[in-house]
Amino acid sequence: MKTEAPGVETAHGAVGLSSVFEKLHGQGLPGLIVGVSGPSGCKTATFGVANLETRETMRSGVHFRIGSVSKLIIGLCLRRFLRAGEIELNAPVCRYLKDVPDGEHITIAQLAQHRTGFTDALYNPAFRALINADLGRVWTRDEALQFSFDVTERAYDPSQVRYSNTNAMILAKVIEANAAKPFQEVAASTLAAQIGDHSIHYVPGPAPSAGFARGYRYGRTDGNIEYGSAFYSTEHFNPSWSAEAGCYAATISDLLGLAKSIGSMVEECKDLFTSHEQHYALLTHAYSPFWGHDGDVPGYSACCYVRPDDGLAIAVLANLSNTLSGHNPATLVFQHLICKK
């Protein structure tokens, strides 16, 4: 085990992470990176290994898939077009896209708050079967959206939150249509303006071996995307079924920069982030008093949150997507750091 900092300074003082890592390591977690940035400076801590086969020591510059933390990137891009007046929050989706079911009644705001009733494509049994039949297949965003639309019942209550990758993918498509260029290009320019130097990038296929932590998970012995008790690596898995909602990769410093940008967004758009009880705003999750997101895709888990009041940013990356009991390891570490277990 190697640590670059013996503890991480949070609002609750120095919190030792070695015991937390050892506990999760006993549950299969190979490696962990934690970063905290705030008024007292920035610190990172690394634990364990990036690859169980080579025993490569975990380093702070290693890349991880970040799963649904990717949605924060879509949120930042959306804020950019809202600010420019090119997208209106209360406009119906049909103003920008003609192929979204019930698009004349669903607004951009409802998409950004997960209040559309759309069912995630992964809940379509036909889609899951196809994914499991070919884990390396690269899916397009439109293919995933169609599988979602096929199982969504359009009778819904817009006051109710139903979290779904579909909402984020539609927003990415709205942004793409408005900008008349691929979403990845919009994201790259937005991140460059917001964060500066960074290495966040889109990885729709299997994770590269160079510069990446190898991911691991508990799944079924037949190796598909279902949870189970068999432990194995996920170098051949491909989460392209999540498209822009879950296919980005980053380092710990990237996530700290992203968290700070989210803090600025919350401060700038206070009218949209009025209550943590609303759960989501601009695809950003409320974890009072923090705003951000966590996420996982097979092999990886991530967490990226900021407390806007004082700018305290916390980021966690782990190369295990789920414990044997089904919990997100990165989220467990974040909860420990803010003393919410």
Side-chain angles (χ1 to χ4, degrees):
M1 180 181 71
K2 166 179 170 282
T3 62
E4 296 174 354
V8 177
E9 192 69 20
T10 70
H12 302 282
V15 180
L17 289 168
S18 294
S19 60
V20 179
F21 172 72
E22 291 301 331
K23 181 178 180 180
L24 289 171
H25 182 63
Q27 299 178 48
L29 175 61
L32 176 71
I33 309 179
V34 179
V36 174
S37 179
S40 61
C42 179
K43 294 183 179 181
T44 62
T46 64
F47 303 88
V49 298
N51 187 313
L52 285 173
E53 286 68 32
T54 65
R55 308 304 300 177
E56 177 189 351
T57 301
M58 187 64 76
R59 297 174 290 104
S60 59
V62 170
H63 283 84
F64 290 69
R65 292 191 185 277
I66 60 174
S68 286
V69 174
S70 302
K71 293 178 176 66
L72 297 179
I73 299 170
I74 302 175
L76 283 176
C77 292
L78 177 59
R79 187 272 298 262
R80 169 183 168 183
F81 286 89
L82 291 172
R83 180 198 290 160
E86 297 177 25
I87 295 176
E88 293 184 19
L89 204 58
N90 294 318
V93 180
C94 66
R95 180 183 297 181
Y96 310 99
L97 300 175
K98 304 302 182 184
D99 57 351
V100 176
D102 209 23
E104 67 274 19
H105 299 123
I106 296 172
T107 67
I108 299 298
Q110 289 172 334
L111 287 167
Q113 293 181 334
H114 291 288
R115 296 181 185 274
T116 65
F118 282 120
T119 300
D120 197 288
L122 286 179
Y123 288 100
N124 185 325
F127 193 35
R128 292 183 80 92
L130 288 169
I131 293 172
N132 288 330
D134 184 0
L135 294 173
R137 175 174 172 176
V138 177
W139 295 90
T140 68
R141 179 208 300 144
D142 283 345
E143 286 174 325
L145 285 174
Q146 191 56 57
F147 280 109
S148 167
F149 298 157
D150 287 347
V151 293
T152 296
E153 296 181 6
R154 288 315 312 146
Y156 70 99
D157 181 354
S159 69
Q160 298 298 309
V161 173
R162 180 190 285 183
Y163 181 85
S164 174
N165 283 334
T166 301
N167 297 312
M169 283 191 264
I170 293 173
L171 283 173
K173 193 171 181 178
V174 167
I175 292 166
E176 188 173 88
N178 188 272
K181 63 178 63 175
F183 177 82
Q184 286 74 39
E185 291 186 20
V186 177
S189 60
T190 302
L191 290 170
Q194 290 291 315
I195 300 176
D197 188 29
H198 71 90
S199 61
I200 299 172
H201 59 292
Y202 189 65
V203 187
S209 56
F212 261 76
R214 175 168 288 189
Y216 300 86
R217 75 188 300 257
Y218 284 102
R220 287 186 1 187
T221 54
D222 54 9
N224 65 24
I225 63 170
E226 315 300 337
Y227 289 130
S229 58
F231 181 84
Y232 49 83
S233 69
T234 61
E235 68 266 30
H236 302 304
F237 276 63
N238 166 23
S240 59
W241 33 262
S242 63
E244 295 87 357
C247 275
Y248 276 90
T251 66
I252 200 71
S253 63
D254 290 332
L255 289 195
L256 289 175
L258 181 59
K260 291 179 182 178
S261 294
I262 294 301
S264 298
M265 179 175 75
V266 173
E267 288 297 296
E268 178 185 311
C269 306
K270 285 185 176 180
D271 57 324
L272 302 180
F273 295 85
T274 55
S275 170
H276 284 83
E277 294 181 0
Q278 70 191 39
H279 303 295
Y280 293 93
L282 299 187
L283 293 179
T284 305
H285 178 236
Y287 199 107
S288 182
F290 291 83
W291 289 92
H293 221 295
D294 62 359
D296 67 272
V297 289
Y300 303 89
S301 57
C303 207
C304 177
Y305 280 91
V306 63
R307 188 169 58 197
D309 291 348
D310 60 3
L312 178 67
I314 299 176
V316 184
L317 290 167
N319 55 344
L320 180 71
S321 52
N322 58 294
T323 64
L324 193 55
S325 57
H327 292 97
N328 179 318
T331 302
L332 293 176
V333 173
F334 170 69
Q335 290 170 339
H336 172 84
L337 282 168
I338 63 172
C339 299
K340 288 190 176 183
K341 305 177 185 178

